[in-house]
Amino acid sequence: MTSLVKIVKPALVEDEPLPDAIARRVTQGACVLVSPIKYDTDDEDREEKETFRMKFRRKIVGKMRGDQVVTRGGHVKDIDLEEENLRLTVVWFDDDKLSAELEQCQYSMPLDIDSSYGEENIPMEKKEKVKVYGIPHSRVGPEVKVKDTSEEIEDDDNPGLIDRVMGFFETDQEVDYISAPFRWDKKELFAGIEDPDTFFRSSLRSFLTHHILIRTDVSKKKDTQDGINIRGLNYLKLKGVYTDVFILHDRPSTLHRRKAFKEKDEDEKVVDPRKELWDSWREWYKFQPLWKIRNYFGEKIAFYFAWIELYTWTLIYPTIIGILVFIYGLWYRVEGGYSFDLESNETVSEQIYDFFTVFNNPATPWFSLILCLWGTFFVEKWKRKSNSLKYEWDVSNFEQLEPDRPQFYGSKTRKNPITEEEEWFYPFYKFYLKLTASVSTLLFMVVIVIATTLGVIVFRIAANAGKYFGDTENNSLYTSVVSSVINAAGIMLLGFVYERIAYFLTDWENHRTQTVYDDSLIMKLFAFQFVNNYASLIYIAFFKENIANNGLFGREDWTDTCDYTVNGKQLCYPMLVLQVAVLLCMKPMPKFFKDVVLPFLFHFLNVFKTRFRSGDKACCCCPPCCCACVRPENIEAVDAGPLKTKELIDIIEEDRKLIAGDNDFTLSEYTEKTIMYGMIMLFGAVFPLAPLIALICNLVDVRIDGYRILWKNRRYIAQRAEDIGIWQYILEFLNMIGVIVNSLIIAHTLVNNGSVLDNIANRWVVAFGFEHVCFLVKFVISYIIPDVPSDVQFKMRKEQFQVNQLFEKGPVKKTSSAAASPHPENGANMDV
């Protein structure tokens, strides 16, 4: 949580109106670079920093060549805040420069097959219809005006009852053009190219702006002296030239502030992408507005919300079955003579544990099987949805075409076998030597974490046996408290050290692309989270009961306790149920406190101070989205006029004081949800209400995330992705481990239910039998469900054929040589 920033406006700033073209661009994905007006005189590198800043500016804007200005397609506007010694540099780029970067990134854009080329030259259907929950769609881009396709929709496309019901939950009405990688010489083929405001959707404009800046090289020649080949924005931030960088949130198309609204009956429509997205997002009972999320935040964040949506909806099935299993367990216990008598002679803990035995009933093995099969069904369903979105969002080949990370450095040069151009590369053997060293280091760290957990357990057992805290009845309590404190301190310390080592090693490995870098980092961080979250549950499920009954290392005085005894034998099943229930309920609490409670308190205090100082007691202290005072219908229409410099400062400061989130929003979110998913897959059978808790948490959390990243956090830099990355393999890994864990739990459950399987040999027979049957069924399900829907496969092949025909036979309009391609001077890596 960052502290609130006090807004200090300069005493002398001309209140000059900004040209409409500038105002429109700086409020649609512009980037703000923050640096000192004058670097500290004690800074030995201040001259170098000033040189880098001026050179970077020339690389963006251009330079004088004789009497002419050689433009590079970039624009900057400096705003100096003298009292804070801060210079706010607003950067944006011309549409031609963005188009050149679009072509360089090989970004697919929608094609206009009804362009002036004439349909007689295009041997294909006018549009390829797709159908989403009963709503007929033509593949037309959401970033352009959708053409009227009512005449094309035939009567047999009318949706049925189920489609109409599902259509009620739909939030996305966008449709999508057939698309192809953008080419400047074929620009007339692309839909909406005549209107850049709609051609470049919000996330695309911010992505291209940031992409240009991080690849604007301020070095005169490539070298690897400091391990960096491209000295762009990331390098300058590392050197301290810029202290902060952020992308501005979009503002309404009228350029008014968020608290000034136009009247509803005016002819001009106010377009506010952020407000439109939130209006769709807060309808909690509907599907996620995935297209709007993608258009504002990019594909990477959109894929996360698509995944959490499918995860949440598929949780309904195990939730219903889990509730039925719980009800059956209650009935089974009552039929067996159990009484819910609170006046019995049992202690409170004994009564709680006795109640939890309702989850240990004959339906438990079948619920385990259902969970294992549900996990496979969910993953296979996600693969299909992921491939469909990959096709619709035109990112199928992103990882093949993904550019190098700016931080990647090569130690040698070679000729590219395809382009035959010189390029830097990092020797293969060096990379794998580093990777081996990284894996060995992290395995050692994981072993330390496991050893620490085991050490705490041994300490607690030994302390209880040796009465380290006095031979009193409170010895057990003191031992539990001390061991818990040691365990928590160890986890926090090791987590702090482990995370930094993971980041350091991932940087050191020198991955070429961002996707590979992210996958490597995720694997390292998840390994720690897996051990940290599941170690105690695995101990209780499979080891604690044996130690409680037989002692540790064969010493009968070194025993643990399960706090529940049946026929003189301690059983840890009720304790496992309690532990799973507590972890599932408590796991979301820190995030809820950080994302909801603390921001609300800071907002409340900030508003209270503002109103107290100004003497204005009107309105309330609610967040802007909830406060009735700032809703459009309760605000008088204001003619704010053209955007002025002071208002631009207000916009920048409004975004600068927002919470600076992590560079990767999805990392922490995937980690949290995946840990919850693992709880269900590994231990959901012992607590059938686990899917219900996960379902409620997802429904609440996804709306909190939406509000947070729209209104409380700075805008996340749009990033592309073609799937959820290595998280999909982690889900499959959890499914596999879940089968093994559930098979062992079932063996113990059957024994505790009085089964004839009362020896070790028969326990292993049950475990192996369940595991083999479950893996066989999972394999069959995975085999019969194709990863890519058949209609998507057909459309991909057909679209490729149509695009090739269009580019080959569609005539190209003549253009002047100046317009044939963006200015060569616009290249970001041109030396000054």
Side-chain angles (χ1 to χ4, degrees), residues 95-97 99-101 103 182-188 815-826:
D95 298 326
D96 285 351
K97 177 63 177 177
S99 299
E101 194 69 17
E103 183 174 8
F182 181 79
R183 290 172 53 182
W184 181 267
D185 60 337
K186 300 277 189 179
K187 63 179 181 179
E188 291 82 4
T815 56
S816 62
S817 58
S821 63
H823 295 291
E825 293 85 353
N826 289 356

Side-chain angles (χ1 to χ4, degrees), residues 136-398:
H137 288 261
S138 305
R139 299 204 67 230
V140 184
E143 58 277 351
V144 298
K145 288 186 177 180
V146 179
K147 298 185 180 180
D148 183 10
T149 59
S150 58
E151 297 180 358
E152 302 172 32
I153 302 174
E154 301 177 1
D155 293 338
D156 56 357
D157 287 330
N158 291 332
L161 177 61
I162 296 179
D163 289 332
R164 290 181 183 275
V165 172
M166 298 303 292
F168 173 76
F169 300 99
E170 185 67 36
T171 55
D172 278 324
Q173 304 296 330
E174 287 81 357
V175 282
D176 179 26
Y177 270 125
I178 292 175
S179 58
F182 181 79
R183 290 172 53 182
W184 181 267
D185 60 337
K186 300 277 189 179
K187 63 179 181 179
E188 291 82 4
L189 286 174
F190 292 90
I193 187 66
E194 67 281 353
D195 187 359
D197 288 343
T198 56
F199 183 71
F200 296 100
R201 59 182 179 272
S202 179
S203 62
L204 179 56
R205 189 178 291 276
S206 64
F207 166 79
L208 294 174
T209 299
H210 186 262
H211 194 268
I212 293 172
L213 292 176
I214 62 176
R215 297 188 174 278
T216 299
D217 198 352
V218 296
S219 62
K220 290 187 178 180
K221 60 180 180 179
K222 299 287 181 71
D223 61 63
T224 56
Q225 182 178 357
D226 52 4
I228 299 178
N229 290 335
I230 298 179
R231 291 170 174 80
L233 179 59
N234 291 345
Y235 175 80
L236 298 181
K237 190 176 178 181
L238 181 67
K239 297 288 288 185
V241 178
Y242 295 105
T243 59
D244 199 3
V245 177
F246 58 93
I247 301 289
L248 291 175
H249 277 288
D250 282 2
R251 262 54 184 191
S253 59
T254 53
L255 306 179
H256 293 175
R257 296 294 305 282
R258 182 154 53 91
K259 293 183 180 180
F261 294 87
K262 304 276 284 183
E263 292 182 3
K264 292 183 179 180
D265 58 353
E266 292 189 3
D267 294 334
E268 183 181 6
K269 181 181 179 182
V270 180
V271 179
D272 189 347
R274 187 157 55 147
K275 185 177 180 300
E276 290 176 0
L277 175 55
W278 175 244
D279 288 342
S280 299
W281 228 333
R282 61 184 178 184
E283 294 180 328
W284 61 271
Y285 56 90
K286 292 191 174 183
F287 294 136
Q288 296 288 307
L290 297 179
W291 279 88
K292 294 184 178 68
I293 298 171
R294 179 242 187 178
N295 292 343
Y296 195 82
F297 290 109
E299 287 83 5
K300 188 171 185 177
I301 291 180
F303 265 111
Y304 162 73
F305 282 102
W307 176 80
I308 195 64
E309 176 188 67
L310 182 65
Y311 175 38
T312 302
W313 281 88
T314 54
L315 271 173
I316 294 176
Y317 305 112
T319 296
I320 295 174
I321 298 174
I323 293 174
L324 295 177
V325 170
F326 172 68
I327 295 173
Y328 172 76
L330 291 175
W331 174 84
Y332 179 79
R333 290 288 287 143
V334 171
E335 287 293 313
Y338 177 75
S339 175
F340 296 93
D341 184 10
L342 299 179
E343 301 297 330
S344 64
N345 296 326
E346 295 180 330
T347 63
V348 175
S349 61
E350 290 175 341
Q351 290 181 0
I352 293 175
Y353 285 142
D354 200 27
F355 172 76
F356 281 151
T357 58
V358 302
F359 298 108
N360 186 10
N361 59 72
T364 300
W366 300 104
F367 187 62
S368 298
L369 177 63
I370 290 172
L371 282 179
C372 293
L373 300 183
W374 167 80
T376 302
F377 170 77
F378 164 64
V379 172
E380 293 302 317
K381 184 72 174 176
W382 167 249
K383 289 180 183 178
R384 293 171 61 84
K385 184 176 181 66
S386 176
N387 284 300
S388 297
L389 292 176
K390 183 191 303 185
Y391 163 67
E392 293 175 11
W393 292 343
D394 306 310
V395 290
S396 299
N397 300 322
F398 167 69

Side-chain angles (χ1 to χ4, degrees), residues 73-94:
H75 302 274
V76 298
K77 183 172 182 60
D78 291 329
I79 300 174
D80 291 344
L81 305 181
E82 300 286 351
E83 296 184 27
E84 295 185 80
N85 189 34
L86 287 181
R87 174 167 296 168
L88 308 178
T89 303
V90 187
V91 183
W92 70 98
F93 292 93
D94 288 338

Side-chain angles (χ1 to χ4, degrees), residues 26-30 202 246-252 258 272 274 296-297 651 654-655 658-659 707-716:
V26 299
T27 55
Q28 294 181 5
S202 179
F246 58 93
I247 301 289
L248 291 175
H249 277 288
D250 282 2
R251 262 54 184 191
R258 182 154 53 91
D272 189 347
R274 187 157 55 147
Y296 195 82
F297 290 109
I651 289 175
E654 184 178 336
D655 279 15
L658 295 176
I659 300 171
Y707 173 74
R708 177 166 61 94
I709 64 177
L710 274 176
W711 302 108
K712 288 301 179 183
N713 284 17
R714 289 181 180 178
R715 184 171 185 174
Y716 286 93

Side-chain angles (χ1 to χ4, degrees), residues 102 130 204 235 416 697 800 806:
L102 198 64
V130 295
L204 179 56
Y235 175 80
N416 188 300
C697 289
Q800 185 63 43
L806 179 63

